[in-house]
Amino acid sequence: MRDEGHFLNLFKVTKKDMEAVIAAAMSCGASYADLYFEHTIYRNLILRDGEVTSGGFHIDYGVGIRALDGEKTGYSYCETTQMREMLEAAKVAASIGSGGQRSIKTATPATPFRNAEKGFYDDTLGWEQSEVAAISDYLKRLELNINSRDNRISKTVASFSASHSSVMMFNSFGELCSDTRPMCSISARIAFSDGKTSDSRSTSRSFRKGPEMLTDDLIDEIASELCEGIDNCLEAGRPKGGKMPVVMGAGASGILLHEAMGHAFEADFNRKGQSVFCGKIGKRICSPDINIVDDATVEFNRGACNFDDEGVPGQKTYMVKDGILTSYLHDRISASHFGVSPTGNGRRESFRFHPIPRM
């Protein structure tokens, strides 16, 4: 794991600097304040007809500053970590966040709080030094593997996207943590026809990994999954309308669960009385055969997270246990409102946005 000094050097700040910015954020009476530093490298390539037709590379850098006064949130950010700009942004956040209703005392500390001794992904292998030519060659080999499997394929599009984020968080509880988060996605889409029927298929793989993810085995896995379904697609008929039994397989059924129930478990909707599950903690909401889990601890998984975007350790949370609603998904604000510990679900789009409880 990269040490604290690496991140302090990356963001060109000291702990004393951060304490001063926190003090400025709390200067109008805020009960809690935090800082979220981010340095993210993004890159992507798209290959069509054997050639890379588009791609991009950019770097995002800055700090978000939040001040909480009861239910009211003040938030500002700056795309530099120079002290003058951070202090000005902190005063803006303090001003916006002042005068909130005191229906909650403050954000909830992360308990137990710790820096990850062993993370759920390798934080030393990033995409900073990866060559475009090597990634382009990988996509070409993926395309060739796919096209060689079935002559009914008329078009293949392969794409690569990756990011490497270094984040550091500090708050008015004195908690300081840092993390480096790799992410890579490889996807492919094919169009095919037997002369009478045309269709398309797509698949992808996403993991918290660096260049070590780009293996020959992954090429074979993606190509095999795409091509093995061609016959079924071309032979499939249109089903008759009406009621019928439905068997839910892995994959798409997870998306249905995500939309139908997952968002309704997020604590901000329940705190505001906007969820169908509001007030139902401890009650049966479905069959006793059903358990629903939000798990940030699966190694290298896309959803793996050593810390959420408030510095709370990633964890495994049962929302539903044997059909009973046992927990919502909490950030620090909702955890304080409900009088429970945060579940590590404070999520941000980037340093430009304040965290909210999400899956």
Side-chain angles (χ1 to χ4, degrees):
M1 303 293 290
R2 292 175 174 173
D3 62 19
E4 181 180 293
H6 167 83
F7 294 91
L8 293 173
N9 290 333
L10 175 65
F11 295 110
K12 302 178 177 63
V13 295
T14 66
K15 193 170 182 181
K16 186 177 180 179
D17 293 336
M18 294 188 288
E19 289 171 345
V21 177
I22 287 290
M26 301 182 74
S27 61
C28 292
S31 55
Y32 171 85
D34 61 17
L35 312 177
Y36 180 84
F37 296 86
E38 178 185 0
H39 176 275
T40 299
I41 296 172
Y42 300 94
R43 64 193 319 165
N44 69 286
L45 291 175
I46 298 177
L47 182 138
R48 293 184 176 90
D49 302 321
E51 298 294 334
V52 172
T53 57
S54 62
F57 175 90
H58 72 276
I59 298 174
D60 213 6
Y61 180 92
V63 57
I65 303 169
R66 179 172 61 157
L68 300 182
D69 189 4
E71 290 278 350
K72 195 170 183 180
T73 297
Y75 197 80
S76 63
Y77 68 88
C78 51
E79 296 171 342
T80 176
T81 55
Q82 295 183 12
M83 274 299 289
R84 186 182 68 178
E85 283 78 3
M86 286 196 295
L87 288 171
E88 288 178 358
K91 292 173 183 177
V92 171
S95 177
I96 296 171
S98 63
Q101 296 179 0
R102 296 286 180 172
S103 60
I104 59 175
K105 294 179 295 184
T106 185
T108 300
T111 309
F113 189 83
R114 50 112 175 108
N115 246 323
E117 295 178 1
K118 179 181 182 299
F120 303 121
Y121 34 84
D122 192 332
D123 69 350
T124 61
L125 296 173
W127 295 97
E128 303 97 324
Q129 306 301 323
S130 53
E131 297 290 338
V132 172
I135 299 170
S136 175
D137 178 69
Y138 187 83
L139 294 179
K140 289 177 180 179
R141 289 193 287 121
L142 173 60
E143 180 196 50
L144 287 172
N145 191 309
I146 292 170
N147 291 341
S148 68
R149 291 172 180 256
D150 199 308
N151 58 17
R152 293 171 293 182
I153 297 173
S154 57
K155 190 175 186 64
T156 301
V157 177
S159 64
F160 157 91
S161 63
S163 65
H164 197 74
S165 296
S166 295
V167 298
M168 181 171 68
M169 292 158 274
F170 183 72
N171 61 33
S172 53
F173 297 134
E175 297 171 343
L176 172 64
C177 76
S178 53
D179 195 16
T180 301
R181 302 165 176 170
M183 179 71 78
C184 178
S185 297
I186 299 291
S187 63
R189 183 174 70 252
I190 59 173
F192 49 91
S193 175
D194 62 0
K196 298 179 294 182
T197 303
S198 298
D199 209 335
S200 63
R201 286 174 57 82
S202 63
T203 192
S204 64
R205 294 292 185 274
S206 296
F207 295 102
R208 285 205 178 279
K209 290 186 175 182
E212 76 279 9
M213 175 174 162
L214 305 184
T215 65
D216 291 338
D217 287 344
L218 182 61
I219 287 178
D220 288 336
E221 183 179 330
I222 291 174
S224 177
E225 181 174 313
L226 278 175
C227 297
E228 286 177 357
I230 291 178
D231 288 338
N232 287 338
C233 287
L234 294 175
E235 295 170 4
R238 183 177 296 275
K240 295 180 180 179
K243 293 183 179 180
M244 62 189 71
V246 176
V247 178
M248 303 301 294
S253 59
I255 298 173
L256 292 176
L257 176 67
H258 174 111
E259 299 297 345
M261 300 183 77
H263 285 300
F265 291 138
E266 292 161 347
D268 53 341
F269 296 121
N270 288 278
R271 182 166 65 90
K272 298 171 184 177
Q274 298 172 344
S275 169
V276 67
F277 298 120
C278 181
K280 294 187 177 180
I281 291 289
K283 297 180 180 179
R284 180 172 302 283
I285 62 170
C286 55
S287 163
D289 297 321
I290 292 177
N291 298 282
I292 303 176
V293 181
D294 180 87
D295 194 353
T297 68
V298 181
E299 287 189 343
F300 304 108
N301 207 38
R302 182 182 178 91
C305 197
N306 293 328
F307 298 95
D308 73 359
D309 295 332
E310 295 183 296
V312 178
Q315 51 203 269
K316 182 176 182 178
T317 303
Y318 272 87
M319 292 90 77
V320 176
K321 182 72 171 176
D322 300 329
I324 304 296
L325 179 61
T326 58
S327 178
Y328 300 132
L329 299 176
H330 291 287
D331 63 0
R332 291 179 187 257
I333 293 177
S334 66
S336 180
H337 175 83
F338 286 100
V340 298
S341 296
T343 58
N345 289 94
R347 304 288 297 275
R348 307 173 191 246
E349 290 184 49
S350 74
F351 68 88
R352 297 179 179 85
F353 299 85
H354 66 83
I356 54 178
R358 290 295 177 264
M359 289 170 277

